[in-house]
Amino acid sequence: MKIFFYIFIFLSFGICAQELPPIQSFSPIDYSAGNQNWSLSQSENNYIYVANNDGLLEYNGANWQLYPSPNGTPLRSVKVVEERIYTGCYMEFGYWKKDEFGHLKYKSISNELKDSLIEDEQFWNISEFKDWVIFQSLDRLYIYNTNNESFEILDAKTTRAAILEVNNNIYFQRINEGIFTIENGKSVLVSDDAVLKNDIVVGAFEMENTTLIVTEKGAFYFLDKYGLNRWVISADKELSASQVYSSMRLKDGSFILGTISKGIFQLDEKGNIMRHINQENGLNNNTVLSLFEDVDHNLWLGLDNGISVLNIDSPFNEYIDEVGRVGAVYTAILFNDIRYLGTNQGLFYKREEEKGDYTLIENTKGQVWRLKQIDGTLFCGHHSGTFVINGENAQKISDFPGTWDIQKIAANNNLLLQGNYKGLSVLERIDGQWKFRNKISGFDNSSRFFEFINERQVLVNHDYKGVFDLKIDPGFDKVTETKKEESKGTGSSLFKYKDDIIYTTINGVFKFRTDQHNFMLDSVLTSHFFGEDDHIIGILNPDSQAEKLWGFSKNNIIYVTPGKFNNEPQATKISIPSSLRKNMGVLGFESITHLKDQLYLIGMSRGYITLNLDKLKRKEYQISINAIFQEYYDSPNTEVNLKGDNIFKSSDNSFQFFFSVPNYDKYTEVNYQYQLTGIYDEWSSWTKIPDISFKNLSFGDYTFKVRAKVGNTLTKDVATYSFVIDRPWYLSNTAIALYILGSILIVVLIHKLYKAYYKKQQDLLVLENKKRLKRKKLKAQKKIIQLNNEKLQSEIESKNRELAVSTMSIIKKNEFLNTIKEELKKTKIVDPQIKAVIRTIDRNIGNEDDWKFFEEAFNNADKDFLKKVKTIHEDFTPSDLRLCAYLRLNLSSKEIAPLLNISVRSVEVKRYRLRKKMNLSHEMSLTDYILNL
């Protein structure tokens, strides 16, 4: 039970991870081919070629291309020699070469052999030596002379094909016989030591002017003229438990051993294990079938399931916490040869020169904000307070929660000022021991960033509230005065850099001016960190020791240093992929720590990465156009000859270009920019997509140009392809001549037609003018008639008004005379004069002159009415016509009575008689009838 308990404790606190070079892995799904990859090689244009179960794989840095095996069997070997890619498989070997379309075409060499191949022979290895290419099976060596295409065949029966090239000599193993070399086309025994007869040799290298041999069992031996001697190394114990399948020596002198089930081991020149990399920490598979180092010192692994590439020479190394035991790294320090990591899960440590794992320091579980060395003492700012770290132990000296930072107080070497969640506090050294003394009263804001202006004046930055200017009493007990400068933006930080207090926000870098006691924008630093196309995200990190100021943008690590010949800051950009920036944890808590020399540690959300500035190298890259396709809507795309005729029919006017840069660095992104002169005069925006299509181009001359930016480096060349799209048949020279002739004929015809047309139009215009004059004359006549009618209408209306006036005056007069008459009749006095007056009144009431005047006015107003009535009703009397006239004026019986000098009753009688004469029905109104006549 105790054993299990200790195992549990180890797994809880020990972290099974190591710093590794960046690893990229490709699964069979990624490259769309078989699982097993038996051999790798690289061409002069830096393309990678892989012997795969399904055929030959080509990788150009952007896309994988599979060329099926010539006879459908797995390819076992590949070797690039100049323009030829030699491959071997079951009962077949030969080479591939690019055709005019950029595709590989296979040519068999084994078919040219005079001797037959051995039954079921497979070719597991290919090696180049001077003018010869050597194909190795488990039975023979086939030595192919590339100059005269002749063959030499040597027997070489073995169980593991391995051609060993050491010191300009070729060695190979015959099982149960030993190691042989080739001299004058013949095999010559070098050593028949029992080890070399019985153990499978998987590699041989030159070391200290002797030959170093490694066997399948992981054992190393020196072979010289005195015999075979074991090289005893520290890795023997671990290697003896592994079965080595492949091996190689890198250009840096280290050894790589690929195993059957344990991944790879990297050994230094003294035989110490530098790294052990397997499936648990990044490889696709633990069985390593083949190894290859490319021109950029990347290590390619052909695996039993997939392909992995390690950027051995990268300035970056990765410590990836896959299981989450360390967590996100917020701070780090190298102190007394111990590397400490402050994470969101606690404080971890590991001795620098040891190969062990990081271990959690007891009682430090929880968020660590800050690790700082002050006068030989290491302090840890923790969520729960402050610790002093001594080796593997942590002593808690303050329970005041949330220690962001700790700084020396210049006025008293025994006091330290802390920034906490709730303001500022003081640590005091008593008898050599640091202890919490007091919280500074009068200020309770979070104090993550603070800096001294002078001995008793402190600037404290708050991301949202701004910068507080605090004056503290001499005893550092309380704040005596507080001023505040408003925030200049979020994402802020405050620190000292080269004796200046720097304040940064998303709006730029500001420098504190002690004379004016405020912050002013530093245009130089702002331009370095806040460029138009590349600006930092998060805070800046100062490195006082190296006088570097660090920031992180989307695609770059940017650091500024003082100029070598002046004090002007100089900026350096280190390219990173955008995914790296996203994995740096919480925004605003970016961390980069100087460890030693030019080595820096950058905190990540799952572990950390290290950056070695000494390994930064400027490389040159070359871009190439890999393929061009003509695109069609209704038929398959066709390839374009890259070296042939570049004149196309007008109907073949849609193109797709494929291009790439053979870059295999995980931390370097490739972006492309293209231009099609003849239609687009400007370069496109940068894109990661390695192809572009142009649809329905018009006829003309075009030049396609493409360049790339690998990280921050432009390719040294611009790949171009010029082509011409012919005019369509309807725009050919013959067609244009016919168009011109036709146009002339059409112009002549049109001229004649226009002449006739205009003559006709002229005649029509004259006719139209005549018609227009006639219409104007008719219109004028109509206008005159209209004016006459209006005049007549006006006269009628005037007559009607006169008739109405005369009628009303007669009515009023008769009513007045009747009133006088009635009044006179009521007089009881008998007087002849009164009677005479009454008679006179009667004469005036029945005066014919009034009727004649009325009749004349009525006829003027309503001409022919009385004639029409007389015509219809011939038996009407003058009295009847008079009544009709009054009814035509729509007068009531009461109004008619005085006109006729009769009573209203008598008028009603007259109306009744008139109806009888007219034979009107009872329902019809007499007045309506007369009005409608």
Side-chain angles (χ1 to χ4, degrees):
M1 289 299 293
K2 286 185 178 181
I3 293 175
F4 288 109
F5 174 76
Y6 288 126
I7 291 174
F8 174 78
I9 293 297
F10 174 78
L11 292 176
S12 299
F13 295 97
I15 311 304
C16 297
Q18 56 181 315
E19 285 182 26
L20 300 174
I23 301 174
Q24 301 175 76
S25 290
F26 303 97
S27 70
I29 296 174
D30 295 325
Y31 53 73
S32 301
N35 290 2
Q36 293 178 314
N37 298 281
W38 297 98
S39 179
L40 301 109
S41 190
Q42 187 174 32
S43 63
E44 291 179 349
N45 62 359
N46 292 346
Y47 288 11
I48 295 295
Y49 292 92
V50 184
N52 179 268
N53 271 6
D54 288 352
L56 178 63
L57 279 173
E58 178 188 67
Y59 183 49
N60 59 26
N63 300 298
W64 291 92
Q65 174 73 46
L66 175 66
Y67 295 95
S69 172
N71 59 7
T73 62
L75 286 190
R76 301 298 188 183
S77 54
V78 61
K79 179 69 176 181
V80 180
V81 181
E82 296 178 350
E83 294 181 351
R84 294 181 176 183
I85 299 108
Y86 292 92
T87 59
C89 57
Y90 175 81
M91 300 296 288
E92 174 67 45
F93 62 85
Y95 65 85
W96 308 71
K97 195 173 181 180
K98 293 266 186 182
D99 64 9
E100 64 273 15
F101 296 100
H103 278 292
L104 293 175
K105 297 297 181 183
Y106 183 74
K107 176 177 173 54
S108 175
I109 299 176
S110 57
N111 289 341
E112 300 174 7
L113 285 169
K114 296 179 181 179
D115 298 331
S116 299
L117 298 177
I118 296 175
E119 187 69 24
D120 293 334
E121 195 169 13
Q122 298 194 57
F123 296 90
W124 292 90
N125 200 3
I126 302 173
S127 181
E128 176 198 9
F129 186 74
K130 298 181 180 179
D131 294 329
W132 295 277
V133 177
I134 305 170
F135 299 88
Q136 183 183 28
S137 70
L138 298 181
D139 298 291
R140 290 174 174 176
L141 292 180
Y142 294 81
I143 305 171
Y144 175 68
N145 189 316
T146 58
N147 291 329
N148 57 24
E149 298 184 347
S150 62
F151 284 95
E152 293 287 341
I153 301 175
L154 298 177
D155 289 332
K157 194 169 184 64
T158 184
T159 56
R160 179 76 56 80
I163 299 175
L164 314 171
E165 184 177 348
V166 181
N167 251 349
N168 210 26
N169 290 307
I170 293 293
Y171 299 94
F172 63 93
Q173 183 183 31
R174 285 178 180 169
I175 200 67
N176 299 324
E177 294 185 37
I179 294 292
F180 289 77
T181 188
I182 302 174
E183 293 180 3
N184 299 319
K186 305 296 182 180
S187 57
V188 177
L189 179 65
V190 175
S191 175
D192 59 355
D193 188 279
V195 171
L196 301 180
K197 290 168 63 176
N198 301 317
D199 293 348
I200 296 174
V201 175
V202 295
F205 318 101
E206 191 277 329
M207 186 174 179
E208 298 177 357
N209 298 319
T210 60
T211 300
L212 180 66
I213 290 176
V214 59
T215 68
E216 184 183 47
K217 296 178 179 179
F220 285 86
Y221 297 88
F222 285 110
L223 176 63
D224 55 26
K225 62 182 180 181
Y226 302 107
L228 194 69
N229 298 298
R230 178 71 183 267
W231 184 34
V232 179
I233 56 177
S234 61
D236 280 342
K237 183 177 179 181
E238 194 161 358
L239 294 179
S240 63
S242 306
Q243 184 179 357
V244 178
Y245 188 87
S246 54
S247 69
M248 73 174 303
R249 191 175 189 186
L250 301 181
K251 294 180 179 68
D252 65 5
S254 63
F255 300 95
I256 300 293
L257 303 181
T259 69
I260 292 294
S261 60
K262 292 187 177 181
I264 65 168
F265 291 91
Q266 183 177 10
L267 279 63
D268 63 19
E269 292 180 292
K270 295 181 179 179
N272 301 311
I273 294 178
M274 299 169 60
R275 297 185 179 99
H276 176 206
I277 306 175
N278 53 30
Q279 191 170 352
E280 290 182 7
N281 46 33
L283 300 186
N284 258 1
N285 187 263
N286 279 333
T287 300
V288 183
L289 303 177
S290 55
L291 300 166
F292 178 75
E293 183 181 15
D294 67 19
V295 294
D296 294 318
H297 310 297
N298 299 307
L299 176 62
W300 293 80
L301 310 180
L303 306 174
D304 194 58
N305 184 20
I307 300 169
S308 292
V309 55
L310 285 68
N311 303 136
I312 296 291
D313 204 35
S314 172
F316 295 97
N317 270 354
E318 301 175 329
Y319 179 94
I320 300 176
D321 178 23
E322 295 286 0
V323 296
R325 291 198 183 101
V326 167
V329 175
Y330 282 75
T331 182
I333 195 171
L334 179 61
F335 182 72
N336 290 340
D337 290 328
I338 298 177
R339 188 182 296 187
Y340 296 93
L341 301 179
T343 79
N344 64 325
Q345 297 181 182
L347 180 61
F348 296 83
Y349 78 97
K350 180 175 76 72
R351 298 196 176 276
E352 187 68 3
E353 299 303 324
E354 291 182 356
K355 301 298 180 184
D357 303 316
Y358 284 98
T359 304
L360 177 68
I361 294 180
E362 191 176 356
N363 299 324
T364 64
K365 202 169 186 179
Q367 177 70 58
V368 175
W369 296 116
R370 184 73 162 157
L371 289 171
K372 194 165 189 177
Q373 183 269 133
I374 300 176
D375 294 338
T377 300
L378 180 60
F379 293 89
C380 172
H382 197 277
H383 170 73
S384 64
T386 307
F387 293 84
V388 168
I389 308 301
N390 187 9
E392 304 168 7
N393 302 307
Q395 177 187 358
K396 196 169 190 179
I397 59 172
S398 171
D399 288 321
F400 192 51
T403 302
W404 293 114
D405 194 9
I406 307 169
Q407 293 198 33
K408 296 173 67 174
I409 298 175
N412 191 334
N413 291 332
N414 291 318
L415 296 181
L416 296 176
L417 185 64
Q418 294 191 130
N420 298 90
Y421 293 162
K422 292 292 186 179
L424 300 169
S425 61
V426 177
L427 297 177
E428 185 176 20
R429 180 165 51 191
I430 300 174
D431 297 330
Q433 299 294 318
W434 289 99
K435 296 181 180 180
F436 178 78
R437 195 189 77 170
N438 64 281
K439 178 188 179 304
I440 296 177
S441 62
F443 184 76
D444 295 323
N445 287 290
S446 179
S447 304
R448 181 182 171 196
F449 301 106
F450 65 93
E451 293 293 340
F452 281 93
I453 301 175
N454 54 48
E455 290 184 353
R456 294 194 300 108
Q457 196 165 1
V458 180
L459 293 178
V460 180
N461 173 60
H462 191 285
D463 197 30
Y464 305 114
K465 297 179 180 179
V467 179
F468 293 92
D469 185 348
L470 307 178
K471 286 186 178 179
I472 305 175
D473 70 328
F476 280 83
D477 294 313
K478 63 181 180 180
V479 173
T480 59
E481 183 180 344
T482 303
K483 296 179 182 178
K484 189 177 77 168
E485 183 169 339
E486 293 300 322
S487 173
K488 296 184 183 297
T490 57
S492 61
S493 61
L494 186 78
F495 54 85
K496 271 190 178 177
Y497 175 66
K498 293 178 59 183
D499 298 327
D500 290 319
I501 296 178
I502 303 296
Y503 172 52
T504 66
T505 72
I506 58 172
N507 296 314
V509 181
F510 302 85
K511 188 178 293 185
F512 185 72
R513 299 188 297 181
T514 54
D515 55 340
Q516 300 185 26
H517 224 71
N518 61 9
F519 289 96
M520 173 173 275
L521 184 72
D522 188 311
S523 59
V524 176
L525 289 177
T526 299
S527 67
H528 288 321
F529 289 108
F530 294 90
E532 291 183 4
D533 57 345
D534 190 36
H535 58 86
I536 65 164
I537 304 170
I539 63 171
L540 292 180
N541 284 269
D543 176 12
S544 301
Q545 183 179 354
E547 290 190 331
K548 289 183 173 67
L549 190 57
W550 296 83
F552 300 90
S553 68
K554 181 181 178 181
N555 294 108
N556 285 289
I557 299 173
I558 307 171
Y559 71 87
V560 167
T561 56
K564 292 183 178 179
F565 303 105
N566 54 39
N567 205 31
E568 187 76 14
Q570 303 293 318
T572 301
K573 291 186 177 182
I574 303 169
S575 174
I576 57 173
S578 55
S579 58
L580 178 69
R581 183 62 187 85
K582 295 176 182 177
N583 290 323
M584 288 185 66
V586 180
L587 185 66
F589 286 87
E590 296 79 14
S591 167
I592 181 166
T593 302
H594 179 228
L595 297 178
K596 59 183 178 181
D597 302 326
Q598 294 294 308
L599 185 64
Y600 288 81
L601 186 148
I602 301 170
M604 306 294 290
S605 58
R606 293 190 307 158
Y608 64 84
I609 62 173
T610 60
L611 168 62
N612 190 340
L613 298 182
D614 284 334
K615 282 192 171 185
L616 290 175
K617 298 176 183 176
R618 184 173 179 83
K619 299 179 182 178
E620 287 189 343
Y621 300 92
Q622 189 168 353
I623 189 170
S624 58
I625 297 174
N626 304 318
I628 304 173
F629 286 87
Q630 287 182 313
E631 297 182 309
Y632 302 96
Y633 293 109
D634 53 355
S635 59
N637 295 344
T638 60
E639 285 192 78
V640 173
N641 187 331
L642 298 176
K643 300 177 181 179
D645 188 13
N646 59 353
I647 300 176
F648 303 95
K649 295 188 297 184
S650 60
S651 58
D652 300 333
N653 61 351
S654 294
F655 297 86
Q656 185 176 18
F657 294 86
F658 290 86
F659 37 83
S660 67
V661 174
N663 170 64
Y664 312 113
D665 188 342
K666 180 180 178 181
Y667 278 73
T668 305
E669 287 186 335
V670 180
N671 288 277
Y672 302 95
Q673 196 176 44
Y674 55 84
Q675 180 187 53
L676 185 62
T677 57
I679 185 170
Y680 303 117
D681 294 329
E682 301 293 331
W683 286 95
S684 70
S685 56
W686 292 104
T687 176
K688 292 182 176 65
I689 302 173
D691 63 86
I692 182 63
S693 293
F694 298 97
K695 308 284 188 182
N696 301 321
L697 297 175
S698 60
F699 67 88
D701 297 347
Y702 296 94
T703 299
F704 174 73
K705 300 178 181 179
V706 62
R707 63 186 180 185
K709 184 170 65 173
V710 186
N712 296 315
T713 303
L714 281 174
T715 49
K716 65 179 182 179
D717 64 333
V718 175
T720 62
Y721 179 79
S722 297
F723 60 100
V724 177
I725 298 178
D726 267 345
R727 295 171 181 266
W729 63 266
Y730 52 83
L731 290 177
S732 64
N733 292 334
T734 303
I736 291 173
L738 291 174
Y739 294 152
I740 293 172
L741 181 60
S743 298
I744 293 172
L745 293 175
I746 290 171
V747 168
V748 172
L749 179 61
I750 289 174
H751 174 70
K752 290 185 177 181
L753 291 174
Y754 265 102
K755 189 174 180 180
Y757 171 78
Y758 282 119
K759 180 67 174 62
K760 184 178 180 180
Q761 289 297 314
Q762 188 177 11
D763 295 340
L764 290 173
L765 186 61
V766 171
L767 181 62
E768 182 65 25
N769 285 337
K770 289 180 180 179
K771 289 181 179 179
R772 190 179 295 113
L773 289 173
K774 187 175 181 179
R775 286 196 298 270
K776 284 184 178 180
K777 188 175 180 181
L778 290 173
K779 189 175 182 180
Q781 289 175 351
K782 287 182 180 179
K783 186 68 174 177
I784 292 171
I785 293 170
Q786 181 182 354
L787 291 173
N788 288 336
N789 288 339
E790 289 176 354
K791 182 179 179 182
L792 290 174
Q793 184 67 29
S794 178
E795 289 177 355
I796 291 171
E797 290 176 355
S798 176
K799 295 296 184 180
N800 286 336
R801 286 192 297 271
E802 289 177 3
L803 177 62
V805 171
S806 64
T807 303
M808 291 306 298
S809 76
I810 293 172
I811 291 171
K812 293 297 181 182
K813 183 197 77 172
N814 289 345
E815 287 178 349
F816 178 68
L817 291 176
N818 280 325
T819 302
I820 294 173
K821 176 181 173 182
E822 292 301 321
E823 290 297 324
L824 289 175
K825 283 182 178 182
K826 291 179 183 179
T827 303
K828 295 180 178 182
I829 301 173
V830 179
D831 189 343
Q833 292 183 348
I834 292 174
K835 291 182 179 180
V837 171
I838 292 171
R839 285 194 296 274
T840 301
I841 291 170
D842 288 336
R843 284 196 303 274
N844 277 284
I845 292 173
N847 194 351
E848 285 297 321
D849 293 336
D850 290 340
W851 166 246
K852 289 180 179 179
F853 172 75
F854 173 79
E855 186 178 17
E856 183 181 357
F858 184 83
N859 284 330
N860 289 334
D862 198 354
K863 190 180 292 183
D864 298 331
F865 173 73
L866 293 177
K867 290 181 181 180
K868 187 185 292 185
V869 173
K870 188 66 176 174
T871 302
I872 299 172
H873 302 286
E874 296 177 354
D875 58 340
F876 272 20
T877 65
S879 177
D880 294 334
L881 294 174
R882 195 172 183 179
L883 179 59
C884 287
Y886 292 147
L887 290 173
R888 181 76 170 180
L889 295 175
N890 202 21
L891 298 178
S892 65
S893 296
K894 186 177 179 180
E895 291 171 328
I896 295 172
L899 294 173
L900 297 178
N901 196 22
I902 59 178
S903 64
V904 174
R905 178 64 181 168
S906 298
V907 173
E908 293 295 331
V909 171
K910 279 182 168 289
R911 290 172 65 116
Y912 177 75
R913 290 174 181 169
L914 192 63
R915 287 178 63 89
K916 286 288 188 181
K917 288 182 178 182
M918 292 180 174
N919 294 321
L920 296 178
S921 64
H922 180 71
E923 292 81 8
M924 185 175 291
S925 169
L926 176 62
T927 302
D928 290 342
Y929 174 77
I930 290 173
L931 289 174
N932 292 326
L933 282 175

